[in-house]
Amino acid sequence: MESKVVLVPCCDYEEEHVYQALRQGVELLGGLDGLIGRDEKILLKLNLVRSAPVDRAVTTHPAVAGAFARILKEEGYRHVEAGDSSGFGNPLKTMHELGFAETLSRNGARLAEFKETVKTAYPEGTHAKEFLLSDAVVKCDCLITMPKMKTHALEYITGAVKNQYGCIQGKNKAVGHTIYPSAESFGRMLIDLNKCVAPRLCVMDGIMAMEGNGPTSGTPVPMNVLLLSTDPVAMDTVFSYLVYLDPKLVPTNLFGAQMGLGTCDPDQIRLLTPEGELSLKQAQKKYGNPDFDVVRKKQKAKGVMGMLDIFQIFRKRPYIIEERCKRCGICVESCPVEGKALEFRSGRQKPPVYDYKKCIRCFCCQEMCPHKAIEVKGR
């Protein structure tokens, strides 16, 4: 079956511009009436991995969240909440600091707290049979995911599929990396998670994306697009095309197609724009960025190279850039490994030191570092 993805150009975060672009996107998708019931409890699942200035492109932009809440309000939806379970810090505090609280409340949406853990069985899962979800996710009738267009050290990119990891409550997300340590196992788990929480609609903020050392320490880069779809795999496939990345290199795309979440086949994706329907190659040429800084090569070697990888000779590693490190200790606190894979060995006079024999390459340290002091690269 075909999946629709809507691409609407938008070049800035001026409130009215974002609203008009999203309104046009909703119309191209066919409207909300067939997707959401008027009396359903709606949760806008943001990307609030941690607090950072909005111009750093770390989080969903509040203008995007506010504009979509405005559309829901105008369409008569009255039970709307918005939030996330952050990787580090208090998400409610983050929403106030970055302006989400003001724009969401003005447009009829309440702040969701994501405060309690609900053990949720998912016997249909092929890789994961239960999840420790946030109560806000369990209580909602309709989940609308609002990811940010960014790179990711483990999964190449983080988009519509990966955003659902924030449905896991609090520190349980770090523990999950120890259970699913590889890109493949983590990707399969994410597909089961998506099928469990079943996002009804995906709205991706790609006006200002993040390239390079994502998902929190990369470089903001304008992509000037908003994407909408009911298929998170198809959306991430379009994202991949726009940055000239083979979509089947992305584990969540590949396994998402294999496990029945969505499609990454360009022949099964209808890409709709205000100028008409485009092929993915046409959209790539018109809206893409061939210079977007993202890994475009296979990360898993085979044969002799695969054996070297097993013995950790050529595996990617997190590295601390000493001159950037503020010795705040957030990386140590974020490490999910029992006994910690990095520690301060000289008090806080010097940066923490890695024990790579313990390191599971989940890159939580790199993701949570607020000073862009940790990078991931091969030896």
Side-chain angles (χ1 to χ4, degrees):
M1 294 181 64
E2 289 184 331
S3 292
K4 290 182 182 178
V5 178
V6 172
L7 183 156
V8 184
C10 186
C11 297
D12 59 57
Y13 287 108
E14 199 282 318
E15 188 172 315
E16 191 63 23
H17 294 169
V18 177
Y19 165 76
Q20 292 296 341
L22 284 177
R23 170 62 76 180
Q24 190 173 32
V26 168
E27 291 172 358
L28 285 169
L29 198 61
L32 299 177
D33 284 343
L35 291 176
I36 312 168
R38 287 292 186 280
D39 295 326
E40 288 190 290
K41 297 177 181 177
I42 301 169
L43 176 64
L44 303 181
K45 164 62 180 72
L46 310 174
N47 185 322
L48 300 176
V49 57
R50 63 172 173 79
S51 182
V54 292
D55 59 3
R56 286 269 304 275
V58 171
T59 68
T60 310
H61 198 284
V64 177
F68 200 80
R70 176 181 167 187
I71 291 171
L72 291 170
K73 180 180 179 181
E74 291 175 349
E75 293 288 324
Y77 297 97
R78 295 289 178 257
H79 310 292
V80 182
E81 291 188 334
D84 190 13
S85 178
S86 298
F88 189 85
N90 185 311
L92 283 178
K93 182 179 178 182
T94 296
M95 285 194 281
H96 281 280
E97 288 175 348
L98 303 188
F100 284 96
E102 188 276 330
T103 187
L104 287 167
S105 62
R106 176 161 40 87
N107 290 295
R110 298 175 295 279
L111 303 186
E113 291 195 54
F114 282 69
K115 61 181 179 179
E116 301 293 337
T117 301
V118 180
K119 183 180 288 189
T120 305
Y122 186 60
E124 303 95 327
T126 60
H127 204 65
K129 300 292 186 180
E130 71 173 22
F131 297 100
L132 300 175
L133 299 177
S134 163
D135 55 343
V137 175
V138 174
K139 291 175 183 176
C140 80
D141 301 311
C142 172
L143 180 71
I144 298 177
T145 187
M146 305 193 75
K148 186 75 170 177
M149 184 181 282
K150 299 186 290 184
T151 51
H152 195 268
L154 186 65
E155 301 288 328
Y156 287 87
I157 59 171
T158 175
V161 174
K162 173 66 172 58
N163 198 45
Q164 272 56 265
Y165 199 52
C167 293
I168 304 295
Q169 176 62 24
K171 293 185 177 180
N172 294 309
K173 292 195 292 296
V175 175
H177 281 287
T178 66
I179 301 172
Y180 310 103
S182 70
E184 291 79 9
S185 63
F186 193 71
R188 290 180 185 275
M189 176 277 297
L190 286 172
I191 303 309
D192 280 333
L193 175 59
N194 272 261
K195 294 174 77 172
C196 177
V197 302
R200 198 85 57 84
L201 178 63
C202 312
V203 181
M204 181 180 286
D205 172 11
I207 298 173
M208 186 65 71
M210 178 181 285
E211 64 179 355
N213 194 32
T216 62
S217 297
T219 303
V221 58
M223 289 298 291
N224 301 322
V225 296
L226 292 163
L227 301 178
L228 298 88
S229 183
T230 58
D231 182 341
V233 179
M235 174 176 281
D236 286 348
T237 298
V238 172
F239 170 14
S240 301
Y241 265 85
L242 292 177
V243 297
Y244 288 74
L245 169 66
D246 179 355
K248 290 186 178 179
L249 285 180
V250 180
T252 51
N253 287 342
L254 183 63
F255 299 136
Q258 292 177 353
M259 296 166 66
L261 177 64
T263 182
C264 65
D265 183 346
D267 293 330
Q268 293 181 340
I269 297 173
R270 291 189 63 202
L271 184 58
L272 309 178
T273 77
E275 297 81 22
E277 187 169 342
L278 299 177
S279 70
L280 269 61
K281 283 291 187 181
Q282 288 172 327
Q284 184 183 66
K285 185 175 181 180
K286 185 168 185 176
Y287 297 105
N289 178 2
D291 299 320
F292 191 94
D293 184 7
V294 61
V295 175
R296 294 186 176 90
K297 60 184 179 180
K298 289 185 179 180
Q299 297 185 27
K300 186 176 181 181
K302 295 183 179 180
V304 174
M305 295 300 290
M307 292 300 295
L308 292 174
D309 180 71
I310 289 173
F311 290 108
Q312 302 186 6
I313 295 176
F314 289 118
R315 291 184 68 188
K316 292 199 305 180
R317 294 179 172 186
Y319 290 86
I320 295 176
I321 312 301
E322 187 168 354
E323 59 269 22
R324 298 181 196 168
C325 180
K326 306 297 182 184
R327 298 178 287 284
C328 63
I330 289 176
C331 58
V332 177
E333 185 178 343
S334 301
C335 178
V337 176
E338 185 175 353
K340 300 296 183 182
L342 72 167
E343 61 181 352
F344 288 101
R345 295 181 183 173
S346 305
R348 298 214 177 192
Q349 300 304 309
K350 293 185 177 181
V353 177
Y354 282 98
D355 180 347
Y356 288 114
K357 292 181 180 179
K358 290 184 179 180
C359 179
I360 62 173
R361 275 68 171 179
C362 65
F363 310 128
C364 289
C365 54
Q366 175 258 1
E367 187 168 338
M368 291 300 111
C369 175
H371 307 298
K372 297 188 176 183
I374 301 178
E375 296 184 358
V376 175
K377 50 191 175 182
R379 291 187 64 181

